[in-house]
Amino acid sequence: MVFSDLHYAQKKLAEVSYYRLSGFWYIFREIAKDSNGNIIYHSSNNKIPKRLDRFIPNTEFKNVFDLYLFDKTLRLLMLDALERIEVFIRSLIAYEMGKSDPLVYKEDKYIDSKFLLNSNNTTSAWDRWVSDNQNHIDRSYEDCIIWHHNLNREIPIWVVTEVWDFGLMSRYFSMLRRKYKNKICGRIDRNLTPDILNNWLRELNILRNRCAHHTRIWNQVSHTCLSIPQIDYFKKISLQRQSLNRMSGNIAILWFLVNKMGSSSTWLDRISELLKSQTEKSYFSIKPMGFTDNWQEEILRFKNAVL
């Protein structure tokens, strides 16, 4: 690796760590080939090429750190959308379920029976959620929670949701009986099914955790694929198969949900500007994000599909 400024490199390695940056310079390592010049893959199924323990000639440390900074900016943009969506879904749950009972989160009659079953002498998924929810309440220093505690009042769901994180929220939705899920989905889009939203919340929770823990995201591959509903937006954007477990698929889902809260968001424009600045760099390939080389056309389809 080329170090044009050794002091800069030492400083950044001390700040970020060698191991953390190694995930970003992995793509700068030479691809392994056999004696005939054919690429050697880790397996015949995943088609991920093996990398050698040496860098492509003229690899510069500055480019590695630029990639790290790009990923950081991308994470912040993801968190911006994820925060809005988390608050939005929590609000829908609080409204729809609160109509049935302000203390609905304590009642198992609203929960699908399969989540109430104990197996192998372990607690049920519902019991675990109730315990985790109570722990969130007990640990909370929010004024609204303290106020209810001080007055010895029961805490209604529209207050309790203020202490939920994305995971607690998505788990609660996943356990609801279908008729309640349908009501929540209907507030987003009449063609959105509970199974689709459940899939999205699970995948977005993984993305949210990666962003919150500062994990590299730009070229991450999910072990499961996003489910796509029969909604005009998704018909118009024609997501490619490689997008369904990569960042481009997440961007499409996030943009759809952000627009359900309002059509004036500039979030996708900021994504496009970031990608444009990065794709101008010779070392960068956008394909690991699930986009094609015509990524600008794909982003434009995302944008036009909600108009």
Side-chain angles (χ1 to χ4, degrees):
M1 188 181 292
V2 177
F3 296 92
S4 56
D5 186 335
L6 191 59
H7 176 72
Y8 172 84
Q10 289 172 330
K11 184 173 182 293
K12 295 307 176 184
L13 283 164
E15 290 175 1
V16 178
S17 88
Y18 171 95
Y19 184 76
R20 183 172 177 78
L21 280 179
S22 68
F24 291 90
W25 67 53
Y26 181 81
I27 65 165
F28 293 93
R29 288 162 53 181
E30 288 189 355
I31 293 175
K33 296 181 180 180
D34 62 22
S35 57
N36 295 319
N38 299 313
I39 295 174
I40 300 174
Y41 296 97
H42 284 280
S43 73
S44 58
N45 295 327
N46 60 29
K47 290 295 182 180
I48 298 175
K50 287 187 176 181
R51 298 275 179 170
L52 301 176
D53 289 331
R54 62 172 180 262
F55 293 107
I56 297 167
N58 301 316
T59 294
E60 295 190 29
F61 178 83
K62 184 180 183 302
N63 291 342
V64 174
F65 203 77
D66 282 347
L67 183 58
Y68 173 81
L69 294 177
F70 158 72
D71 192 73
K72 177 181 178 179
T73 305
L74 184 64
R75 290 197 308 271
L76 292 174
L77 283 169
M78 293 300 110
L79 283 172
D80 181 24
L82 287 163
E83 176 192 0
R84 293 190 63 193
I85 290 164
E86 180 179 342
V87 172
F88 177 48
I89 302 296
R90 284 184 349 201
S91 176
L92 294 182
I93 291 173
Y95 179 78
E96 288 298 336
M97 301 308 296
K99 288 191 295 186
S100 299
D101 183 351
L103 303 180
V104 63
Y105 62 94
K106 293 186 174 185
E107 300 291 337
D108 64 10
K109 64 182 179 181
Y110 302 98
I111 303 301
D112 190 316
S113 59
K114 68 182 179 182
F115 295 104
L116 305 177
L117 301 174
N118 298 331
S119 59
N120 299 323
N121 296 319
T122 61
T123 55
S124 68
W126 166 246
D127 288 334
R128 291 194 297 274
W129 184 89
V130 169
S131 177
D132 290 343
N133 181 57
Q134 189 60 51
N135 287 336
H136 276 68
I137 294 171
D138 293 341
R139 294 198 307 265
S140 175
Y141 290 98
E142 293 294 330
D143 290 343
C144 57
I145 299 295
I146 293 172
W147 184 84
H148 281 81
H149 280 321
N150 288 342
L151 294 179
N152 199 29
R153 290 189 176 184
E154 292 277 20
I155 308 174
I157 188 170
W158 50 85
V159 177
V160 167
T161 55
E162 291 298 310
V163 305
W164 286 2
D165 57 26
F166 207 109
L168 202 64
M169 174 192 74
S170 61
R171 285 166 58 199
Y172 183 73
F173 175 82
S174 72
M175 291 188 295
L176 289 172
R177 290 168 61 187
R178 197 167 187 86
K179 71 174 184 177
Y180 301 111
K181 289 180 180 178
N182 284 332
K183 290 180 180 180
I184 294 165
C185 288
R187 294 288 304 280
I188 301 172
D189 190 286
R190 61 187 179 87
N191 292 316
L192 182 62
T193 66
D195 291 340
I196 296 286
L197 183 56
N198 195 50
N199 169 268
W200 288 359
L201 292 179
R202 184 173 61 249
E203 292 303 307
L204 293 181
N205 184 46
I206 293 171
L207 176 61
R208 184 262 175 202
N209 288 340
R210 284 173 172 167
C211 292
H213 294 95
H214 325 299
T215 303
R216 172 174 43 85
I217 64 168
W218 76 276
N219 62 345
Q220 286 276 19
V221 180
S222 177
H223 293 296
T224 57
C225 290
L226 288 164
S227 298
I228 302 303
Q230 294 299 310
I231 293 175
D232 285 345
Y233 166 83
F234 292 98
K235 294 176 183 177
K236 291 176 182 177
I237 66 174
S238 301
L239 277 179
Q240 300 299 307
R241 184 174 180 82
Q242 72 268 15
S243 297
L244 300 183
N245 63 346
R246 292 181 180 269
M247 185 52 59
S248 57
N250 283 317
I251 290 171
I253 300 296
L254 290 169
W255 180 237
F256 172 78
L257 292 173
V258 164
N259 272 272
K260 289 299 178 179
M261 293 174 271
S263 58
S264 61
S265 173
T266 61
W267 181 78
L268 191 63
D269 291 330
R270 287 179 284 152
I271 292 288
S272 183
E273 289 169 8
L274 177 64
L275 295 181
K276 185 176 185 299
S277 67
Q278 193 66 21
T279 51
E280 291 173 349
K281 299 171 182 177
S282 60
Y283 65 83
F284 182 79
S285 171
I286 200 166
K287 290 183 178 179
M289 294 184 69
F291 288 109
T292 67
D293 289 332
N294 295 322
W295 67 269
Q296 289 173 304
E297 292 182 12
E298 294 176 68
I299 291 287
L300 188 60
R301 285 204 300 270
F302 293 1
K303 189 171 184 177
N304 291 337
V306 299
L307 298 179

